[in-house]
Amino acid sequence: MTPPHAPQIPVVVLAGFLGSGKTTLLNHLLRNRAGNRIGVIVNDFGAIEIDAMTVAGQVGSTVSLGDGCLCCAVDAGELDVYLATLTRPAARLDVIVIEASGLAEPQELVRMLLASDNPRVRYGGLVEVVDAAEFLETRERHPEMDRHLTVADLVVLNKTDRVPEARLDAVREAVASTGSGAAVIGAVHGRIDPGLLFDPVLRQEEDDNTRQLTFEDLLREADQEADGGHADHLHAAYESVSFTSDVPMDPRRLMAFLDSRPTGLYRIKGFVDFGAGDRGNAYALHAVGGFLRFVLRPWARDEARRTQLVLIGSGIDADALHKELADCRTEPGRGPIERPQSGRTGTGEAPQDATDELERSMWGVLRYVRQPDED
């Protein structure tokens, strides 16, 4: 059984129509993995080239990509089986990326992930790759693309170097017309900042300036030579906003904020202090697109009790987000009523009413808490 506070591996679904550049983006992530060990699940039967290693129709096979990264070619029905393989502690993976077939229904993969009983994984978002040069014509022939965009958490407009600005604006408008609330960023050759999808990992054995060059380093050097030394300059149009508060958060107001997240806000991560709502636990918050999950962990004995959040998105208003979060803090006479320390105080039912109010204020949070029986 996995402890309730055990780290979970984010699983990112990478989707997009044929030729949109999914594999190019995936190769870019493998070249710039920020210290992470990545597990790759290829949901396809065709020849998929990943870092010059070909998985040619070998459904059920596993191929090592070096540096601890693995690739599996699977049918969708075997997804849980391979998630179990890749999430074993011995695999030591930090991120799993599922590259969906160009003809796949990505929402089905998302549904399978959310329904998975594997306690070691968490949903890391659906990334839909769009060919900016071909999207308008492809959408006319395949209207189902609208459905894919509406369930996406992040839309990558790839090949933006191939279209004039007016055409790119038309593509953005077309994406917005589908009703998608996803963050939208542009890319050339699938190069997005990996920080959008996963956090850097620094391992003890890698914290050494004299370490040997890895395959990742050599690939990056080759990219830099081909691009005049600018391969790492990923000018992604996204913002990162940090928020810290030593004052506990009001559960009702924070949930109202989370339930009405603005368009373009892609990820939220960090820890929340609900103060009297739960004195014993910090609430790890993970949100991607419309998905939200809290995971409880006990406060360490000498740990400072504060809320620390990072919000990532495209086209977001940093000042407005700061103000909205600041308004979610508890205040005297406005926030949750403190849990009484003893029994009745001679004022009728007030202490019990205060306790009931405090518990009710946490109900909205607890709906999104991973429960022990889910393990």
Side-chain angles (χ1 to χ4, degrees):
M1 178 181 293
T2 304
H5 58 277
Q8 293 177 299
I9 301 174
V11 181
V12 178
V13 178
L14 185 60
F17 196 72
L18 295 167
S20 60
K22 297 186 303 297
T23 303
T24 301
L25 193 155
L26 179 56
N27 282 331
H28 166 72
L29 293 178
L30 289 168
R31 285 171 161 87
N32 301 271
R33 57 192 177 88
N36 287 277
R37 292 188 172 96
I38 302 178
V40 178
I41 296 178
V42 180
N43 172 219
D44 207 334
F45 292 91
I48 303 296
E49 184 177 0
I50 298 178
D51 273 342
M53 303 186 70
T54 301
V55 181
Q58 300 177 37
V59 176
S61 65
T62 301
V63 178
S64 173
L65 299 180
D67 293 324
C69 298
L70 299 172
C71 177
C72 299
V74 303
D75 187 357
E78 300 173 312
L79 184 60
D80 258 339
V81 174
Y82 276 86
L83 283 176
T85 299
L86 294 177
T87 57
R88 291 178 304 174
R92 302 176 65 200
L93 295 180
D94 304 295
V95 183
I96 296 173
V97 179
I98 300 176
E99 183 184 3
S101 162
L103 300 176
E105 288 290 337
Q107 62 267 38
E108 285 303 306
L109 289 172
V110 172
R111 182 190 61 77
M112 292 173 67
L113 276 175
L114 296 179
S116 173
D117 59 1
N118 187 329
R120 297 185 182 277
V121 301
R122 61 175 170 82
Y123 179 54
L126 168 59
V127 180
E128 184 77 15
V129 184
V130 169
D131 183 341
E134 302 290 339
F135 173 71
L136 297 178
E137 291 77 15
T138 303
R139 184 188 180 203
E140 290 183 1
R141 298 193 304 271
H142 300 276
E144 66 273 14
M145 291 182 68
D146 284 12
R147 184 171 64 252
H148 299 175
L149 289 166
T150 57
V151 297
D153 301 302
L154 176 68
V155 175
V156 177
L157 299 185
N158 198 26
K159 308 181 186 180
T160 56
D161 57 325
R162 300 186 184 181
V163 297
E165 194 64 32
R167 170 86 170 188
L168 190 56
D169 289 342
V171 173
R172 290 182 181 275
E173 290 175 7
V175 171
S177 72
T178 66
S180 173
V184 179
I185 63 169
V188 176
H189 302 304
R191 290 174 181 163
I192 66 171
D193 192 326
L196 273 168
L197 306 182
F198 47 76
D199 301 322
V201 171
L202 183 62
R203 303 182 188 282
Q204 186 173 357
E205 66 267 25
E206 295 178 357
D207 188 15
D208 182 357
N209 292 330
T210 62
R211 67 179 176 84
Q212 267 191 316
L213 287 176
T214 65
F215 188 45
E216 176 191 8
D217 297 323
L218 296 173
L219 285 170
R220 187 183 298 114
E221 285 188 1
D223 286 343
Q224 288 175 335
E225 290 178 5
D227 293 348
H230 296 287
D232 284 339
H233 296 182
L234 304 171
H235 303 288
Y238 78 93
E239 297 82 32
S240 177
V241 179
S242 297
F243 174 82
T244 301
S245 174
D246 291 323
V247 178
M249 305 300 281
D250 179 290
R252 283 201 177 107
R253 288 198 292 275
L254 181 63
M255 290 310 303
F257 168 80
L258 294 173
D259 287 340
S260 59
R261 302 196 285 281
T263 299
L265 182 54
Y266 172 57
R267 288 179 66 198
I268 308 176
K269 57 185 180 180
F271 292 92
V272 179
D273 173 23
F274 285 115
D278 189 341
R279 296 284 191 196
N281 292 297
Y283 283 64
L285 187 160
H286 166 69
V288 56
F291 176 79
L292 173 65
R293 175 65 64 89
F294 287 102
V295 179
L296 276 64
R297 71 160 177 83
W299 290 107
R301 177 174 297 180
D302 299 323
E303 183 178 1
R305 307 208 174 182
R306 60 170 60 101
T307 295
Q308 295 177 295
L309 298 174
V310 176
L311 302 89
I312 300 172
S314 175
I316 56 179
D317 186 330
D319 292 337
L321 288 175
H322 253 288
K323 183 180 184 305
E324 289 184 60
L325 285 170
D327 288 343
C328 292
R329 295 176 297 187
T330 60
E331 295 178 9
R334 180 185 173 200
I337 302 172
E338 290 286 329
R339 186 184 296 275
Q341 300 299 312
S342 57
R344 297 182 181 274
T345 61
T347 57
E349 297 298 322
Q352 185 59 48
D353 290 346
T355 300
D356 292 343
E357 172 63 20
L358 183 63
E359 291 177 350
R360 282 195 296 270
S361 72
M362 288 293 293
W363 286 352
V365 175
L366 296 175
R367 287 187 299 129
Y368 295 97
V369 171
R370 179 172 147 226
Q371 302 297 328
D373 59 4
E374 291 179 20
D375 294 345

